Amino acid sequence: EADIYQTPRYLVIGTGKKITLECSQTMGHDKMYWYQQDPGMELHLIHYSYGVNSTEKGDLSSESTVSRIRTEHFPLTLESARPSHTSQYLCASSPGQGSFYGYTFGSGTRLTVV
Amino acid sequence: SQQGEEDPQALSIQEGENATMNCSYKTSINNLQWYRQNSGRGLVHLILIRSNEREKHSGRLRVTLDTSKKSSSLLITASRAADTASYFCATVDTGGGNKLTFGTGTQLKVEL
């Protein structure tokens, strides 16, 4: 079954730790995205990729970094986590042809930095 | 940056009633999409309407788009308790690649 997977689902981690949030999709989509969402709030785009070896920063400034070495994999890394990074992180993907396709979202990673 | 606002912010109705949510946006768009989010989970794509379309239906959903007013509405007919969720509109700007910009969302509660 084609889908998009995010791990871990929940993560509680201490300040200063390095973390990587995983995102993988099995649909062969060229375009992938990371959004940040605080509880009850709108989503903000922090990173996106239109294909392998292509990554761009989104509208919301973020201290995280991303990589896209394989089509199906789009991990997000925080080198040194801080309490201000506490949020929900949502990964999504869409087909490469044009812009008239909806996104498929993962279930999200809820990150708490203590 | 925030594209627009949705109203109302929260809506509570009885099962069987219709729910209407409105979305306003600021830029010229390629298309507008509606998504549902259940209790902090991932979003589910509901429907997409192109900028040259005025109305679209999908099951119990009806979406309208008025590009002159930069607004859209989502109507859910004969609502069910399972429709309880947050609903977001999102736009793809003209010349904006395929990036989606989300609105503030409407929290819908459907009571038995």
Side-chain angles (χ1 to χ4, degrees):
Chain A
E1 178 181 324
D3 211 334
I4 183 164
Y5 305 96
Q6 287 188 246
T7 57
R9 181 77 181 91
Y10 300 95
L11 179 61
V12 180
I13 201 161
T15 297
K17 298 291 186 182
K18 177 180 179 179
I19 58 169
T20 297
L21 307 184
E22 300 289 347
C23 176
S24 294
Q25 50 99 1
T26 60
M27 297 167 284
H29 287 171
D30 286 328
K31 299 177 179 177
M32 296 188 75
Y33 314 84
W34 277 103
Y35 283 84
Q36 185 175 340
Q37 182 186 31
D38 291 325
M41 303 294 285
E42 69 219 69
L43 285 77
H44 293 284
L45 180 67
I46 52 174
H47 296 284
Y48 63 99
S49 168
Y50 286 169
V52 171
N53 295 325
S54 155
T55 61
E56 300 286 346
K57 289 188 178 297
D59 302 321
L60 180 68
S61 175
S62 173
E63 295 167 340
S64 58
T65 59
V66 292
S67 63
R68 189 88 183 276
I69 298 172
R70 303 196 316 266
T71 297
E72 62 271 22
H73 195 214
F74 191 41
L76 182 146
T77 298
L78 276 166
E79 290 293 332
S80 179
R82 295 207 301 269
S84 61
H85 296 140
T86 293
S87 190
Q88 171 152 267
Y89 293 84
L90 292 161
C91 181
S93 70
S94 67
Q97 306 90 338
S99 60
F100 295 107
Y101 296 90
Y103 286 14
T104 301
F105 276 86
S107 296
T109 293
R110 189 170 295 279
L111 173 66
T112 302
V113 184
V114 298
Chain B
S1 61
Q2 179 182 321
Q3 165 65 304
E5 295 190 357
E6 293 177 57
D7 113 86
Q9 288 186 316
L11 177 62
S12 182
I13 59 174
Q14 297 293 121
E15 200 170 46
E17 294 179 339
N18 295 343
T20 300
M21 289 160 267
N22 302 296
C23 165
S24 62
Y25 57 91
K26 298 174 183 174
T27 60
S28 293
I29 64 170
N30 186 306
N31 66 74
L32 183 144
Q33 304 176 28
W34 285 89
Y35 288 80
R36 183 186 74 227
Q37 184 179 36
N38 287 91
S39 189
R41 304 284 295 187
L43 281 73
V44 174
H45 179 253
L46 297 175
I47 195 165
L48 180 153
I49 186 166
R50 301 185 182 205
S51 60
N52 61 353
E53 297 176 311
R54 292 296 166 257
E55 187 171 314
K56 203 161 183 181
H57 297 255
S58 177
R60 293 184 296 113
L61 306 180
R62 172 178 169 257
V63 169
T64 63
L65 178 64
D66 186 335
T67 53
S68 66
K69 295 181 180 178
K70 290 187 166 54
S71 68
S72 173
S73 68
L74 172 67
L75 169 68
I76 304 174
T77 60
S79 63
R80 306 166 182 167
D83 295 328
T84 295
S86 293
Y87 291 81
F88 292 88
C89 71
T91 56
V92 175
D93 293 351
T94 54
N98 194 34
K99 293 182 292 177
L100 272 179
T101 303
F102 283 83
T104 53
T106 293
Q107 293 183 36
L108 173 66
K109 184 175 182 181
V110 181
E111 299 184 87
L112 295 169

